[in-house]
Amino acid sequence: MSRLIIDTDPGVDDAFALALAARSPEVDLLAVTTVFGNVGLEHTTRNALRVLALLGREDVPVGVGAARPLVHATPLEATAVHGDDGLSGRSALLPERSRGVEPEDAVALMARLITESPEPVTLVPIGPLTNIAALLAAHPGVKSNIDRVVIMGGGLTGGNVTAAAEFNLWCDPEAAHRVLVTEDVPTVLVPTDLTYQCAVDGDWLNRLAASGPLGAALEPLTEVYRAHYRQILGYDGTVIHDAVAVAEAIRPGILRTTPIPVHVDTAFGPRRGGLLADRRLIAPLADPGFRTVEVAVETDVEALRAFLFDRLT
């Protein structure tokens, strides 16, 4: 059984990712921790609680994490993509959870659960990496009981919030650099190059809505998100980025990975927050500014969509 902690900034695709983990019988969901990102921390925390309530998961503790980046303020939120509340203005339609947030903050909660776990834990950060950077800096001893860190973020060929940077890394480049480049924990990076390939179309979403109570609750949350991606994709559909990363955390190997040296740009300029991947077949010199991580590059797209649909229905 996979023991997971999901660090998240819900967010429409985060809601799908949480549902995927919560409805997978082979997953022991130890905790959900929240971070700023798609919307502010108050919204992301409330959304996490309400999505877990929808899923009937009162048992899962929720820890509140960082409200801002480690160093420099983030210029904007993704409300144009996710709606003002992060869930297309529909968060109030979700049930309230009777269990609130834990007295421990996100970092303390993660540190305790990882330390106490009898088996290694997989961390699944699907938002900015602020909480994970703080955890690894303040509690380096937990690394021995982390199986791997499966990150949704980055783009090998460019970004989505700037020409160079993907949103999660751009929100806190210093934290992303710490986790991806400085640390030595086994890491899988799931970039937007792959998640865009796994986009689902309107028919998939409509079938999800008709599949039962969970699908009927999730699909309306996509309204603003779906309209945004209709412009990008050129057809009625959407990209559930974070669910692709959670699928890999649940079923290792559902995505094909390859080792690639990566670097995160923390300088101020047009490449800030961008991922630089060294894809040369032969590198004459080892660059100390890079670390080799497993990067997801391919999957059986139809099989992945079927896996997501099966678990969400």
Side-chain angles (χ1 to χ4, degrees), residues 51 114 129 178 195 222 246 278 303:
V51 170
I114 295 168
L129 288 164
R178 171 88 195 213
T195 59
T222 68
V246 170
D278 189 347

Side-chain angles (χ1 to χ4, degrees), residues 199-203 205 225-231 233 235-239:
V200 296
D201 62 16
D203 177 66
L205 290 165
Y225 195 71
R226 190 169 172 175
H228 171 79
Y229 277 104
R230 188 180 293 116
Q231 299 177 63
L233 298 172
Y235 61 85
D236 180 25
T238 195
V239 187

Side-chain angles (χ1 to χ4, degrees), residues 11 18 42 53 94-95 126 131 150 152-154 162 191 225-226 247 257 260 262 265 268 281 283 293 299 305 307 312:
L18 288 173
E42 180 181 354
L94 299 180
I126 52 177
N131 291 339
V150 181
M152 190 278 122
T162 71
Y225 195 71
R226 190 169 172 175
T257 68
I260 299 177
V262 298
D265 195 330
F268 283 92
L281 296 178
V293 303
T299 190
R305 289 177 182 143
F307 173 71
L312 295 175

